[in-house]
Amino acid sequence: EEVMAVESDYEILKYYWETWRDASGKLMKDDYVDYIRLLNTAADLNKFSDAGEMWLQPYRDGDYNTTDFVDDIEKLWNATKPLYEKLHAYVLDKLKRIYKENIKEDEQFIPAHVLGNMWAQSWENIYERVKPFDVNITDITEDLNSQIQDEKEMFCLSENFFTSLGMYSMTKDFRDNLVLKRPGGDKKFICQASAWDFYDTENMPEDGRFRIKMCANKTQKDFIVIHQQMGHTEYQMSYSTSPLVFRDGANPGFLEAIGGTVGLSVSTLGHLDKVSSALNSNTKLCNTAFTLEDFATQQEQHVAVQSEKQINFLMKEALSKIAFLPYAYILDKWRWDLFNNNNEDTNFNEKWWRYRLNVQGISPPVQRYPSSDFDPGSKYHVATNVPYIRYFVAGILQFQFHQHLCNVAHPEENIFDCDIYGSKDAGAALRDMLETGASVGWRQQLKDFLGSDTGMSAKDILDYFQPLEDYLDDYISNSSLVVAWKQDSVDDYMKDELVDIPATVPIVVGVVLALMVVIVIVAYFVGRAREKKKEEVEERGGHSGEQVEMAVNGEGSVHINSSPIDKHNP
């Protein structure tokens, strides 16, 4: 995954893309067939039509059923799809300029391996190659590496964000048992960042047992991930005084959305400027008296440069947030289809690439087998049976949450510039929702928090990226780009399971056939010679007294041997 993030060579990326899928997903295909059968059996025993319906139960809410939820997901995708298609057209055009020898001028699909991510689910790692303007935006990675000694200091900065809102400090148990690095030795360890609630029923939240586990690096990306994971921990702490049955998010997407909401504030250029100033000030970051309010943001005097930085920032966010939506949308749609089909058609890989091509406009860098390859199995959430639609829901809700909190904290600011750091009013509004946990239906919670009955809506995410969409419209028009791509092209990228002959096989077969022809010809003439000699002997009333033997040596040469006949050998 790290290679895919930093490497740019087309062929090297192709090698790692294909090798990882051969070493992971391909090996579990047969097990996945069994898995579908078993999961559907479990669903049937629990009175569900299939495992897909069972997975969707957390989104039921009163008379709002799973069909209503799936319909809402379709509406949300259709609302955000035009922006994604414009982003796709822009990125494809930029990549054609970089990979002139590899991506044809009339190509409509983006090869999956050149987007900076093993699964092409988010594209922020290619930001520097496709950014609109040659101006730099704040990135604190270098400051983190040069100014902090321990990754725990990033957690102190994250904790400070939440305490500035009037939310919980992390517990002593949390700090003492925080896992930030892969353990030594032969221990198996999953580096995927995760927040854990140990369901302490004896202590209050301030003394409860909560954990974050990840392999943290001193990068801006992990700095933001730490805030997102601590957002999950704050959620867990907030509802931890509820009965056990209610100690959960309002729905799986809510829990993920809280982390994303925090990330939208932390990733603003203003917030990162303050963090950069703090890192370079020799201030003790883990001091309880520390506050970012003591540090100023960098003020850009030139209006044009400020506008270019704004578009660059929104492009980087879109490469992460907008590019991710179709992937989060199709991963579970594909699995719902498999559950519904119940192994009647096991061309799982063909179904997967049909979605990726039609919805994402992404193509495999090499042809794939429709059945024996199993590319989605290379994704952690598929291999470990984690439903994924929660991340699509979170991708929408986080912008609704962020907009509301910004209306409370800084109603005059643009949504993409808003940082709620230090707003006790925003913190109180957020905490009220988090404390509810799963004790109230999620649609009612959303209505209470937003103060309106809009439900899940794409309006706020589209408002956030409106300046970028205006830029993309101009770029596409000026470059005469075609937006969108042809549908139902999956057959062009599939190999025939029945015919896959290596290039050397026809050569070997040809040589063998040639040798057989030579042998047959030689045998024919040898046989003719023997018959002729036999006829001559019979005419004279005798026989030759010799036995003719023919043999073919290992090099393909024919040797003929004549020897006296042993009259005693039958």
Side-chain angles (χ1 to χ4, degrees):
E1 188 175 355
E2 292 178 5
V3 173
M4 300 297 288
V6 299
E7 181 59 65
S8 61
D9 184 277
Y10 193 90
E11 294 300 325
I12 292 175
L13 288 169
K14 184 193 293 185
Y15 166 79
Y16 280 100
W17 187 94
E18 187 173 14
T19 301
W20 171 242
R21 280 153 181 77
D22 287 345
S24 56
K26 191 167 189 170
L27 303 182
M28 69 178 72
K29 167 61 191 301
D30 291 341
D31 290 336
Y32 207 78
V33 172
D34 290 339
Y35 157 77
I36 289 173
R37 177 180 56 79
L38 292 170
L39 202 58
N40 273 343
T41 299
D44 180 64
L45 292 172
N46 285 281
K47 309 302 181 185
F48 297 113
S49 61
D50 59 38
E53 186 188 7
M54 183 168 66
W55 276 10
L56 289 171
Q57 286 309 294
Y59 300 97
R60 290 180 65 99
D61 187 4
D63 59 358
Y64 181 90
N65 58 35
T66 57
T67 301
D68 296 324
F69 174 75
V70 171
D71 288 345
D72 278 348
I73 295 300
E74 291 295 322
K75 292 174 185 175
L76 291 166
W77 166 240
N78 287 328
T80 53
K81 179 181 176 182
L83 176 56
Y84 172 76
E85 289 178 339
K86 294 171 186 178
L87 179 67
H88 179 283
Y90 170 86
V91 170
L92 178 57
D93 184 63
K94 289 287 188 179
L95 291 174
K96 284 178 179 178
R97 299 166 193 251
I98 296 171
Y99 298 107
K100 296 178 181 179
E101 302 299 319
N102 307 104
I103 304 178
K104 296 178 181 178
E105 187 59 35
D106 62 350
E107 180 58 68
Q108 296 182 16
F109 300 103
I110 302 177
H113 66 305
V114 296
L115 288 165
N117 177 269
M118 181 62 81
W119 305 277
Q121 67 182 52
S122 57
W123 309 346
E124 69 267 31
N125 288 325
I126 64 168
Y127 162 75
E128 288 294 336
R129 293 175 232 167
V130 303
K131 64 183 181 182
F133 299 106
D134 190 22
V135 295
N136 294 324
I137 59 175
T138 305
D139 188 313
I140 62 171
T141 297
E142 186 175 332
D143 293 332
L144 290 169
N145 278 280
S146 62
Q147 300 298 328
I148 68 173
Q149 301 299 316
D150 193 315
E151 287 80 0
K152 285 187 177 181
E153 293 178 75
M154 294 195 290
F155 278 82
C156 291
L157 285 168
S158 177
E159 183 176 356
N160 175 259
F161 178 90
F162 290 100
T163 56
S164 81
L165 302 177
M167 301 182 76
Y168 289 111
S169 297
M170 294 297 103
T171 66
K172 182 179 185 301
D173 180 83
F174 176 92
R175 296 191 190 96
D176 291 345
N177 295 286
L178 188 62
V179 180
L180 297 178
K181 293 184 179 296
R182 185 188 297 275
D186 298 329
K187 290 183 179 179
K188 293 183 178 181
F189 186 80
I190 297 174
C191 278
Q192 178 110 358
S194 54
W196 298 78
D197 179 0
F198 282 76
Y199 295 99
D200 186 343
T201 59
E202 297 180 356
N203 298 298
M204 295 301 289
E206 296 85 348
D207 298 308
R209 300 181 64 211
F210 307 93
R211 302 278 195 283
I212 288 177
K213 176 182 71 67
M214 64 182 292
C215 298
N217 297 302
K218 297 175 185 178
T219 65
Q220 178 170 300
K221 182 177 181 180
D222 276 7
F223 176 78
I224 295 172
V225 168
I226 287 168
H227 283 73
Q228 293 170 337
Q229 292 301 320
M230 197 170 287
H232 297 165
T233 300
E234 288 283 348
Y235 203 165
Q236 293 163 349
M237 295 175 78
S238 296
Y239 61 56
S240 64
T241 57
S242 299
L244 192 62
V245 69
F246 297 136
R247 290 180 65 165
D248 202 351
N251 70 37
F254 261 62
L255 186 60
E256 300 298 334
I258 297 304
T261 302
V262 172
L264 289 172
S265 278
V266 174
S267 61
T268 58
L269 297 181
H271 189 91
L272 292 174
D273 283 345
K274 289 182 178 181
V275 172
S276 178
S277 297
L279 289 170
N280 286 283
S281 69
N282 295 319
T283 302
K284 292 183 178 180
L285 304 177
C286 294
N287 190 317
T288 55
F290 170 83
T291 174
L292 281 179
E293 300 290 1
D294 293 339
F295 302 92
T297 61
Q298 299 176 14
Q299 297 298 319
E300 180 56 61
Q301 301 299 322
H302 200 291
V303 176
V305 174
Q306 182 63 29
S307 176
E308 290 178 352
K309 283 187 173 182
Q310 183 183 92
I311 296 301
N312 275 7
F313 165 72
L314 288 173
M315 176 60 73
K316 189 172 185 179
E317 288 292 289
L319 292 172
S320 172
K321 305 287 188 180
I322 298 300
F324 177 69
L325 287 177
Y327 184 86
Y329 167 71
I330 67 172
L331 187 56
D332 270 3
K333 279 183 68 70
W334 169 77
R335 288 192 282 190
W336 297 339
D337 285 354
L338 299 193
F339 296 145
N340 181 258
N341 183 261
N342 200 28
N343 293 330
E344 290 184 16
D345 179 358
T346 58
N347 284 345
F348 298 165
N349 211 42
E350 180 182 2
K351 293 175 183 291
W352 172 242
W353 281 107
R354 189 180 302 279
Y355 271 122
R356 298 215 76 182
L357 288 157
N358 287 350
V359 178
Q360 275 190 284
I362 302 295
S363 63
V366 294
Q367 285 191 312
R368 313 301 292 153
Y369 286 118
S371 181
S372 57
D373 280 331
F374 188 55
D375 295 336
S378 68
K379 177 66 177 169
Y380 170 85
H381 297 75
V382 173
T384 56
N385 189 33
V386 178
Y388 211 75
I389 201 65
R390 67 184 66 186
Y391 299 106
F392 182 88
V393 172
I396 299 297
L397 286 179
Q398 65 184 267
F399 288 91
Q400 293 182 261
F401 293 166
H402 181 61
Q403 178 67 81
H404 176 69
L405 294 174
C406 288
N407 288 342
V408 173
H410 308 292
E412 73 288 350
E413 288 190 1
N414 292 319
I415 182 175
F416 50 81
D417 284 330
C418 173
D419 172 17
I420 65 171
Y421 180 91
S423 173
K424 296 293 194 295
D425 290 340
L430 181 59
R431 188 164 173 173
D432 282 346
M433 181 175 68
L434 302 189
E435 287 177 345
T436 308
S439 64
V440 175
W442 69 268
R443 292 167 71 239
Q444 185 62 49
Q445 287 197 47
L446 186 60
K447 179 181 178 180
D448 292 343
F449 181 70
L450 299 179
S452 65
D453 197 14
T454 57
M456 292 189 292
S457 168
K459 180 182 181 302
D460 293 321
I461 188 174
L462 295 177
D463 286 348
Y464 183 99
F465 287 107
Q466 188 60 59
L468 177 66
E469 186 165 17
D470 292 341
Y471 168 80
L472 291 174
D473 286 338
D474 289 342
Y475 183 93
I476 289 167
S477 176
N478 294 335
S479 304
S480 300
L481 300 182
V482 176
V483 177
W485 45 89
K486 60 184 178 181
Q487 298 291 290
D488 299 323
S489 301
V490 69
D491 289 344
D492 296 339
Y493 297 92
M494 294 291 112
K495 290 191 287 189
D496 190 339
E497 294 276 2
L498 301 178
V499 181
D500 184 35
I501 302 174
T504 56
V505 169
I507 299 173
V508 173
V509 171
V511 170
V512 171
L513 289 175
L515 285 173
M516 291 177 66
V517 169
V518 170
I519 292 170
V520 169
I521 292 173
V522 170
Y524 171 77
F525 284 109
V526 169
R528 290 285 295 163
R530 291 180 62 189
E531 288 295 324
K532 187 175 182 180
K533 194 167 185 178
K534 182 178 179 181
E535 290 173 358
E536 291 175 352
V537 170
E538 289 177 348
E539 288 177 359
R540 294 196 300 267
H543 50 75
S544 65
E546 288 185 337
Q547 176 174 294
V548 181
E549 296 178 353
M550 180 181 72
V552 183
N553 68 14
E555 298 175 352
S557 301
V558 179
H559 294 273
I560 299 173
N561 179 48
S562 297
S563 58
I565 294 176
D566 181 0
K567 295 180 180 180
H568 302 287
N569 188 12

